[in-house]
Amino acid sequence: MKFEIALSLLLVVLVGITIIQGCNGKAVQFIFGDSLSDNGNNNRLSMTLAKANLPYYGIDFGNGLPNGRFTNGRTVADIIGDSTGLPRPPAFLDPSIDEDVILENGVNYASGGGGILNETGTYFIQRLSLWKQIELFHGTTELITKKLGKQASDEFFQEARYVVALGSNDFINNYLMPVYRDSWTYNDETFVEYLMETLEKQLLVLHKLGARKLMVFGLGPMGCIPLQRVLSTTGKCQDRGNKLALSFNKAANNLLISLEPKLTNASFKFGDAYDVVDDVIRNPYKY
């Protein structure tokens, strides 16, 4: 519980300055991410191998049954919204979603296994990459424009806030696996550069589509996730994965610093929770 409280407080501080009131008097958010934020999209992808529909997903949430979240309880996106008083955006593939729901709650496009790169996570068969999520968001902007008209629609999307939280799959389910071409095409430094070049293009598209208040979240200690520890010979955290996460975080922060002054009315921020999670791993008894 202490960890959730600490992380919640950190997220509130990080995103608090990005919260603004939408044109209907409520703040709405649009979420782009992976399994840390997916709240049901993958469960509605018929062919994906990455579904959160097994025990014990969801045991501490709602009725205690799997609900599409890759966690026993709340996702990072849920924590952000709950801590700041924002509504939880429904999954894009939720069949109940329509224009009124979008205007009231925003949309969550996150997909387990998705990455910044289109090639990431291909062995899951189906997942929504960030490029695909942005494409779906583009469709959302067109839908709302038809309902509100261009001026009101532009105002709505420019006043909303945006969260981009993915990148770990690009390493864990791509670069660090020899079955992927990227693993032998790049080295650690050039792969991070490749990710930043792609992410920059994606953020520019989001800005063009109306995103003004946007936060990109960094990666946690990837080398300490269960999969990476199982793959090590000792069962301990893998230093390489953690160093890659730190390299990604530094590069992403620098990217946002360089982009923000170049874009009209942009408030692009970086959220770094690496040290919080690292402290939980290194000092578990504190929590």
Side-chain angles (χ1 to χ4, degrees):
M1 288 302 296
K2 287 184 179 179
F3 167 63
E4 180 172 296
I5 293 171
L7 182 57
S8 297
L9 289 175
L10 174 65
L11 296 178
V12 169
V13 171
L14 290 172
V15 306
I17 58 175
T18 71
I19 298 174
I20 57 177
Q21 296 301 310
C23 60
N24 59 354
K26 292 184 59 176
V28 298
Q29 57 179 336
F30 294 93
I31 307 294
F32 304 85
D34 52 25
S35 60
L36 294 180
S37 303
D38 188 348
N39 64 343
N41 283 314
N42 274 30
N43 272 20
R44 295 182 174 91
L45 294 176
S46 61
M47 297 178 62
T48 187
L49 299 180
K51 287 189 177 184
N53 59 355
L54 300 170
Y56 294 90
Y57 290 129
I59 58 173
D60 299 314
F61 188 101
N63 60 8
L65 299 175
N67 54 62
R69 290 168 171 81
F70 289 81
T71 172
N72 60 294
R74 297 183 298 170
T75 67
V76 171
D78 291 330
I79 293 173
I80 293 173
D82 294 351
S83 299
T84 54
L86 297 175
R88 294 174 179 169
F92 174 80
L93 295 178
D94 186 325
S96 67
I97 199 169
D98 59 19
E99 296 97 320
D100 292 332
V101 171
I102 294 169
L103 291 169
E104 187 76 10
N105 300 288
V107 184
N108 186 331
Y109 304 92
S111 173
I116 293 170
L117 306 175
N118 283 333
E119 60 263 34
T120 291
T122 53
Y123 64 81
F124 293 128
I125 302 178
Q126 276 186 307
R127 74 275 175 252
L128 306 177
S129 69
L130 182 52
W131 277 123
K132 183 62 178 180
Q133 293 177 37
I134 293 172
E135 178 185 330
L136 296 175
F137 173 65
H138 186 193
T140 299
T141 64
E142 293 178 336
L143 187 69
I144 297 302
T145 298
K146 289 180 180 179
K147 181 176 180 66
L148 299 182
K150 180 167 176 51
Q151 182 175 346
S153 175
D154 288 347
E155 181 180 349
F156 170 74
F157 287 107
Q158 290 176 18
E159 290 182 345
R161 73 179 178 88
Y162 300 78
V163 175
V164 176
L166 68 174
S168 60
N169 285 311
D170 293 293
F171 293 98
I172 297 167
N173 293 308
N174 183 350
Y175 178 64
L176 293 175
M177 299 187 70
V179 296
Y180 284 93
R181 184 177 63 182
D182 287 348
S183 67
W184 66 80
T185 303
Y186 302 95
N187 59 37
D188 291 1
E189 181 180 353
T190 57
F191 185 69
V192 171
E193 291 174 354
Y194 175 37
L195 287 176
M196 291 305 109
E197 291 170 0
T198 307
L199 181 60
E200 180 176 11
K201 295 175 184 176
Q202 293 163 333
L203 295 179
L204 290 173
V205 172
L206 283 173
H207 181 269
K208 185 177 181 180
L209 293 173
R212 296 295 183 267
K213 306 292 185 179
L214 181 146
M215 174 159 284
V216 174
F217 277 95
L219 308 183
M222 293 189 305
C224 295
I225 68 170
L227 173 62
Q228 295 300 299
R229 297 179 71 158
V230 166
L231 294 176
S232 71
T233 57
T234 63
K236 297 182 179 180
C237 298
Q238 296 200 40
D239 288 340
R240 185 186 180 194
N242 289 345
K243 289 178 180 178
L244 285 170
L246 290 171
S247 295
F248 177 95
N249 291 349
K250 181 179 179 180
N253 186 38
N254 290 338
L255 172 62
L256 294 173
I257 290 173
S258 67
L259 269 183
E260 186 179 43
K262 300 176 184 177
L263 301 175
T264 304
N265 297 326
S267 176
F268 284 10
K269 306 300 180 184
F270 179 73
D272 189 352
Y274 183 99
D275 289 340
V276 174
V277 179
D278 186 58
D279 190 55
V280 173
I281 295 169
R282 295 181 184 277
N283 303 291
Y285 294 105
K286 287 173 54 179
Y287 302 89

